[in-house]
Amino acid sequence: MKTACVLYRDGSSLPLDQLAGEVSASLFQTDLHYGLCGDVARLQAQEPGTGAVLHNLLALKSRLLMGVTALLEGAGRSRGAIHRVVVPPVVVRAAGDRLRAQGLEVESLPHDAALVPRKVAVAFFLKAVAHRLYRLAARPKLPGVPLVRAWVDVTEVMYGELFPRAQLRVYPFTYGIGRQVAFVRSLRRRGLRWSFDGVPYRWRDAFGALLAGSRRHLHLARAEEAAFRRFADELLAAGVRELYSSDEYEVGAVAAGQRLAEGGAHYVNTAHGIGLYCPRVAYARFDYLNDYQAAFYRRMGNPMELRKRATANSQLPFERAELQAAAELAIVYVHQNFEAYHLPSEIAAQDSLMRKMVEVGRELGVPAIVKLHPNMPRAQAHLPQGLRVATRWDELRGLRPVFLTIYSTAYYELAPVAPVLVYAAPTYNPAVYLDGDFETFTMDKLAEQVARLRDPGAWSALVDRQARSLQGAAA
């Protein structure tokens, strides 16, 4: 057996990375998964700095370890009794006893294996190229002036009050080039101090990632660590002592944070979404969106100031009174670009939900609408017939919406102004992402739940409950 997999008594087998795709990504935002990845990182990297970056990399990118987490959680048992699981030696050392305690026979591969797929190395290569190109257009950094790492319009929601006095550095954004172009044009039009910029990745690391074999994960961790330490050194050498960012998804940012702290700089991060990303960070201050995030970073032992964000990621063009006054009910799904993050279970759930919405809309005689994610071009979205498309929030004016979401940061903007129903299913745990008392839905109960909200009183009561809950009052 040459690959990590599970073997069933009926003779079938399944690669561990495919087993990871059968469960929700919320399972990989739990202490079970982060703890497993931390154990493996400690066994693979002796240097503390590299170990922290490797912990982040494995937690976010190792489909193999996600498969092990799914096994530890009991996933995959419905396919038939598992005969044994085949994993690399380091996984046997880190989790063999726990797997055996679940009644699984554990077999070790005869050799080490790369713990992240090759496509992660390809993505790293492309990222390194993009950052090198952006650096060609970089202007000198200004000493003593706060620096804001920027990507698109969301950065202004986070740090808009700093824009008049800061230097804005625009970094590569691969999820929507048009969105970044519009942002840059806005900066230029307003005469703000801005420049393109990039993290100083080395060419030899970029090409080396493509050639790395079973030690690929270690090569990537060391390359990210080195690049972000150089990034921090550049800031300190330029006299920058305040950095504002939203990069908790960058596995190497912990190395920059450690170096900036050593140099006396103040590194502030704002959560750009409701998910959990890197377990190891080194910010001076972290502005979080939900209480689960704050509790997570406390548990991970990151010594930093934690503040709850005063604003969410977007500003809606309507208020509750306007929506509540509309006569026509509508079902509106808040679309997510799960494809960009390679989440097979969420992609399948989203597709099923959109088809179900069309069916429910016809049954109840109400419009079924999808509000596209801003990073998803309409031409690339796979939408069923009969579903109306909105690319902007203001296209929902004149309707009394019932919003549906799987996992979306927009919940925090929407919950005070309209009902929001949150998807629930096995392995889907919305409590990982959302605070307070929220109402869930299942596919088979969706029509019934939407029909109930036709009543303006029920519609209003649910909004009241959501708003009170988010304010910390008893619902």
Side-chain angles (χ1 to χ4, degrees), residues 6 8 13-25 27-28 63 66-67 70-71 74-80 82 342-346 348-349 425-428:
V6 290
Y8 295 94
S13 65
L14 184 72
L16 272 174
D17 57 353
Q18 291 186 30
L19 179 62
E22 294 189 356
V23 300
S24 166
L27 179 57
F28 311 130
R63 303 296 293 177
M66 289 175 188
L71 270 182
R77 307 303 171 89
S78 62
R79 297 175 61 95
I82 297 175
H342 310 292
L343 302 175
S345 178
E346 280 77 7
T427 77
Y428 282 74

Side-chain angles (χ1 to χ4, degrees), residues 121-329:
V122 173
F124 174 81
F125 173 82
L126 295 174
K127 178 174 73 170
V129 170
H131 279 260
R132 297 286 302 194
L133 291 175
Y134 270 52
R135 284 173 63 83
L136 294 176
R139 297 169 182 165
K141 297 177 178 67
L142 304 174
V145 178
L147 188 148
V148 175
R149 285 194 76 198
W151 291 269
V152 290
D153 50 341
V154 171
T155 304
E156 187 160 7
V157 178
M158 298 172 179
Y159 298 121
E161 76 282 357
L162 292 173
F163 274 30
R165 65 184 181 90
Q167 50 184 320
L168 312 175
R169 314 291 288 196
V170 178
Y171 290 78
F173 183 74
T174 59
Y175 299 113
I177 299 300
R179 193 175 174 192
Q180 185 170 87
V181 169
F183 176 62
V184 166
R185 285 174 177 167
S186 172
L187 299 179
R188 184 180 293 137
R189 185 172 61 250
R190 289 179 287 168
L192 296 169
R193 290 183 293 192
W194 74 278
S195 169
F196 290 112
D197 208 340
V199 174
Y201 290 101
R202 293 181 296 207
W203 284 116
R204 67 172 180 267
D205 287 335
F207 284 103
L210 300 178
L211 302 175
S214 62
R215 309 283 281 178
R216 181 185 302 135
H217 49 285
L218 275 170
H219 176 93
L220 291 171
R222 288 171 177 146
E224 291 279 14
E225 179 191 12
F228 273 89
R229 285 190 69 85
R230 285 194 299 275
F231 165 70
D233 286 338
E234 286 184 353
L235 295 181
L236 294 172
V240 175
R241 293 298 180 267
E242 293 179 66
L243 173 63
Y244 297 86
S245 189
S246 181
D247 58 12
E248 74 271 23
Y249 61 90
E250 288 278 16
V251 301
V254 61
Q258 291 165 347
R259 182 69 189 94
L260 289 170
E262 292 166 3
H266 192 67
Y267 191 2
V268 175
N269 190 77
T270 295
H272 71 284
I274 55 178
L276 307 179
Y277 293 90
C278 293
R280 305 291 295 277
V281 297
Y283 304 115
R285 192 181 92 211
F286 189 103
D287 293 351
Y288 62 93
L289 264 171
N290 62 55
D291 293 338
Y292 192 93
Q293 285 177 330
F296 166 72
Y297 285 111
R298 288 191 190 100
R299 290 196 307 276
M300 292 296 108
N302 298 294
M304 59 187 174
E305 180 187 0
L306 289 162
R307 291 187 189 177
K308 193 153 192 173
R309 282 186 59 179
T311 59
N313 277 352
S314 62
Q315 297 171 341
L316 298 174
F318 41 68
E319 296 182 354
R320 173 179 176 173
E322 178 184 347
L323 299 180
Q324 191 166 333
E328 185 178 17
L329 194 76

Side-chain angles (χ1 to χ4, degrees), residues 41-93:
R42 282 187 289 274
L43 290 170
Q44 291 277 281
Q46 305 308 312
E47 314 93 329
T50 304
V53 178
L54 181 60
H55 188 180
N56 291 339
L57 178 69
L58 296 177
L60 268 59
K61 303 295 184 181
S62 177
R63 303 296 293 177
L64 189 155
L65 292 183
M66 289 175 188
V68 175
T69 298
L71 270 182
L72 292 172
E73 186 65 17
R77 307 303 171 89
S78 62
R79 297 175 61 95
I82 297 175
H83 176 48
R84 68 180 183 273
V85 55
V86 183
V87 291
V90 69
V91 177
V92 176
R93 292 163 61 198

